[in-house]
Amino acid sequence: MAAASHGKDRRHLRLPRPLVPMTRATKRKRYAEKSQHIVVVGAGLSGLAAAARLRASGLQVTVLEAADHVGGRCATEILRSSHGEFAADTGATVLTMPQLVESAVHALGQHMPETWKLNKLSPAYHAQFASGRSIDLYSDRARMSQAIADFAAEKFPADQTGAALRLTEGFRSYRDWSQEMFAASFENFVAADFDSLVDLVSTPAAANDLLRLTGLGAFGSLSKAIRSHIDDDELSRLFTFQALYAGQAPAAARAVYSVIGHMDTGMGVYYPQHSIGEAAEAIAGALQKAGAQVRLNCAVEDFHMDSAGTQITGVRLADGEVIPADAVICTTDLAVLDEMMQRSLQGKTGRTMRTARRAMQRSTRRANRPLPLRWSPSAVVIHGTVPTDVSEHFASSAHHTLSFGEAWEDTFTELTARKGRGRIMSDPSFLITRPARTAPSRIIRDAAGATYEPISILAPVPNLASAPIEWNLIQNPYVEEILNTLEQRGFSQLSSSLAIARVDTPATWHSEHGYGEGTPFSVAHSFSQTGPFRPRNTGAYGVDNLVLAGCGTTPGVGVPTVLVSGALAARRITGGGVR
């Protein structure tokens, strides 16, 4: 589609403005600004979001994806258990801020597919504690206040009124604080890239928001900040467990990461009509209608470089095909990129890998420093199916269930320990996901008429650097231990009825996907790897026309943030305010 006709179609459709701006205005340097053809490596959400904004600016775009499906770490795949074939969400299962998906499609002058129908989960989660108590977590303020009051009445029978008042007032105070934290951080820090520390105060708005964040205690401990509002060990977990996604214990995570919790506990958790993969599929479909190429089963081997090794001239696929490129946006895991760059720069005069890494270090003043980085904890994820006549008796009927062990702080100590000191959770916590609870189309039926539902069980574990475990030896007994533990927590007959289709471990994340230290959660959000200190989206390896996107770069891990990351990467090339 020509750029002129594309613009005309967009005006004709009169699409609504996105509910949330993807990026703020910038005066930062544009990269490869004369480019006409951009190759995007990876069809995950960040790559698709980047491609959408590039194509909306009239550029030619080719998206290359090694898998046979789009979505990356937010995909739906067809698996098979002994009960039959079923759709499984094999990456992220929690969708927040879905308007960011919609804005990527709208940027192309198109509407979302007619099949795009979102369910707002209510409750967002069901939480069960080792004490035997449980609570439903709602994004609706009034419903959550009532749930906390009921919880307090059960937990403190001798002081029902006083405890309920104290905890509900604390919750409302927390909601106001987290909302303000989100408002102060999103546009100028989350939806922003950084070239230096000066960018923290590069505009009056950014400087003002930095002062607001400081006043809100954004750079103190997340755990202490939450407990200052909700002084209850069990309830506070509902608003701090998201720190695991950032690769930090709540006590070590900065309070600004309350924005992750606010996105789901405050703004709501959603699920498409059929599968989480519909998010990526909607953007990919819009891209193809807009004239971009989205090529599946196209693994990238390396990059063709100019003689100096500072410009990419083409992208070479595993089958030998070379696709010319004026610029490249790469969304692969940083460990995968590192291997590709080793192959790309090998033999270049004056551009050995060591000098390339030093160039990367110099060009970004430590933010795009060479590997190794510190990586987040990993996870064991069990995908399978259970008979519905068994699952209907489970202790929780929610789409998402958080099953907490008692030893909360010890769990994070075990998961986030330094090299060689990590260990499997001694008192585990789990996330159990049952998508058919809100997407009935996910139920499968066999020839005899028996019905089964898919289930995914996520157990956080240390990454391979923290705990170099021989997962091929312990996978089966560990899975058995997880299932037995959940049976004790009310998921009766799970061990005997679950038909397992696939188990992902740090070993498989590493061997099959190349993820750094075997974690799908990428680079940890420690203080030295966050904001302006996080690996930046430009300057990598001293290559001028390479821009990064995805969870390993700005702004970080999570579905909303990788969508923003793609928009930021595209803006580095277009320089425009495409929203």
Side-chain angles (χ1 to χ4, degrees):
M1 180 183 296
S5 63
H6 175 66
K8 181 179 179 180
D9 289 346
R10 186 178 183 184
R11 288 191 298 271
H12 176 70
L13 285 172
R14 298 182 181 276
L15 292 168
R17 290 179 60 83
L19 298 178
V20 179
M22 290 298 292
T23 55
R24 60 174 168 153
T26 182
K27 296 180 179 179
R28 299 200 183 106
K29 177 182 176 182
R30 288 176 62 184
Y31 289 79
E33 58 184 296
K34 295 182 180 180
S35 300
Q36 291 300 312
H37 180 219
I38 315 299
V39 173
V40 178
V41 180
L45 289 178
S46 62
L48 294 170
R53 279 156 181 82
L54 292 168
R55 183 65 193 132
S57 296
L59 299 174
Q60 292 179 286
V61 181
T62 300
V63 182
L64 303 175
E65 171 55 52
D68 62 359
H69 58 272
V70 299
R73 302 183 208 209
C74 189
T76 300
E77 301 178 58
I78 300 300
L79 303 182
R80 173 174 284 278
S81 75
S82 60
H83 297 145
E85 282 191 344
F86 68 101
D89 300 326
T90 53
T93 61
V94 176
L95 176 62
T96 57
M97 297 184 70
Q99 59 266 49
L100 297 181
V101 175
E102 295 164 359
S103 70
V105 172
H106 293 167
L108 290 162
Q110 298 181 35
H111 290 293
M112 293 295 290
E114 292 184 3
T115 55
W116 178 258
K117 296 178 182 178
L118 290 172
N119 296 308
K120 187 174 184 179
L121 304 188
S122 184
Y125 303 93
H126 174 77
Q128 53 179 210
F129 303 102
S131 64
R133 287 181 286 269
S134 63
I135 186 172
D136 286 334
L137 178 58
Y138 298 97
S139 59
D140 179 81
R141 184 186 181 105
R143 292 195 71 179
M144 192 64 219
S145 295
Q146 185 59 55
I148 288 176
D150 295 342
F151 182 87
E154 177 188 357
K155 186 170 184 177
F156 304 101
D159 183 27
Q160 294 186 26
T161 303
L165 182 62
R166 172 174 58 86
L167 291 175
T168 54
E169 286 185 347
F171 163 71
R172 295 185 188 108
S173 173
Y174 158 77
R175 278 290 294 267
D176 292 340
W177 172 80
S178 64
Q179 172 63 51
E180 190 171 355
M181 187 76 77
F182 179 86
S185 62
F186 187 83
E187 187 168 352
N188 283 303
F189 298 101
V190 176
D193 41 28
F194 297 93
D195 287 330
S196 73
L197 284 171
V198 176
D199 289 327
L200 290 169
V201 291
S202 59
T203 67
N208 182 64
D209 281 347
L210 183 61
L211 287 175
R212 288 175 64 196
L213 289 171
T214 302
L216 290 167
F219 308 109
S221 163
L222 174 64
S223 180
K224 289 182 180 179
I226 300 300
R227 291 299 291 265
S228 71
H229 297 280
I230 304 172
D231 190 19
D232 181 85
D233 179 63
E234 291 178 324
L235 291 179
S236 65
R237 298 182 190 187
L238 302 178
F239 309 101
T240 58
F241 77 87
Q242 299 89 350
L244 181 63
Y245 304 147
Q248 293 282 284
R254 299 303 90 195
V256 70
Y257 285 114
S258 62
V259 300
I260 302 175
H262 180 72
M263 288 174 186
D264 59 8
T265 64
M267 301 174 73
V269 174
Y270 295 81
Y271 196 78
Q273 182 176 206
H274 301 296
S275 70
I276 201 78
E278 289 181 74
E281 290 161 9
I283 305 176
L287 275 167
Q288 291 172 315
K289 289 179 182 178
Q293 291 190 62
V294 179
R295 296 179 56 180
L296 305 180
N297 298 302
C298 289
V300 172
E301 180 67 17
D302 56 25
F303 305 120
H304 274 211
M305 313 291 295
D306 65 2
S307 59
T310 59
Q311 291 276 332
I312 295 174
T313 60
V315 177
R316 186 166 69 94
L317 304 183
D319 64 4
E321 179 186 358
V322 177
I323 301 173
D326 296 322
V328 171
I329 292 180
C330 187
T331 71
T332 64
D333 193 86
L334 294 184
V336 176
L337 171 63
D338 198 59
E339 293 181 357
M340 287 195 297
M341 290 305 301
Q342 288 188 55
R343 294 190 292 269
S344 304
L345 294 169
Q346 189 173 8
K348 293 295 180 183
T349 303
R351 294 290 297 172
T352 64
M353 198 60 191
R354 179 177 296 179
T355 57
R357 286 179 166 183
R358 285 175 178 171
M360 178 175 70
Q361 199 171 20
R362 287 195 303 270
S363 67
T364 56
R365 298 183 183 179
R366 294 183 65 252
N368 249 355
R369 57 195 177 285
L371 306 182
L373 299 161
R374 187 173 184 191
W375 302 86
S376 295
S378 185
V380 167
V381 184
I382 306 166
H383 297 289
T385 52
V386 289
T388 55
D389 59 358
V390 171
S391 61
E392 68 182 6
H393 300 295
F394 284 169
S396 169
S397 60
H399 187 119
H400 295 297
T401 298
L402 296 164
S403 179
F404 291 108
E406 179 63 32
W408 187 236
E409 293 184 4
D410 290 344
T411 291
F412 278 95
T413 299
E414 293 165 341
L415 294 175
T416 63
R418 295 281 182 172
K419 186 174 181 179
R421 298 181 181 180
R423 54 179 294 183
I424 291 174
M425 295 179 290
S426 55
D427 187 11
S429 295
F430 307 108
L431 171 65
I432 301 97
T433 300
R434 299 170 60 190
R437 299 302 303 172
T438 48
S441 61
R442 297 288 286 278
I443 294 288
I444 62 174
R445 187 181 302 272
D446 66 15
T451 55
Y452 308 87
E453 67 165 296
I455 186 170
S456 297
I457 302 163
L458 184 151
V461 296
N463 63 44
L464 294 175
S466 176
I469 295 169
E470 295 289 342
W471 282 101
N472 61 317
L473 299 179
I474 75 159
Q475 173 184 307
N476 291 340
Y478 185 56
V479 167
E480 183 178 355
E481 180 181 327
I482 290 172
L483 300 181
N484 288 336
T485 301
L486 285 173
E487 283 200 1
Q488 296 168 14
R489 296 181 184 181
F491 291 83
S492 57
Q493 300 183 57
L494 177 62
S495 181
S496 59
S497 64
L498 175 66
I500 296 176
R502 191 170 95 188
V503 178
D504 291 319
T505 71
T508 58
W509 296 123
H510 179 70
S511 64
E512 296 178 15
H513 302 282
Y515 295 160
E517 300 303 348
T519 173
F521 302 114
S522 192
V523 179
H525 285 264
S526 58
F527 182 79
S528 63
Q529 295 182 164
T530 194
F533 305 112
R534 195 162 181 81
R536 296 175 192 156
N537 56 11
T538 59
Y541 301 92
V543 178
D544 297 333
N545 61 343
L546 172 64
V547 183
L548 308 185
C551 53
T553 184
T554 302
V557 178
V559 170
T561 41
V562 298
L563 285 161
V564 170
S565 178
L568 292 171
R571 190 186 62 175
R572 287 290 198 172
I573 295 173
T574 65
V578 176
R579 301 232 175 158

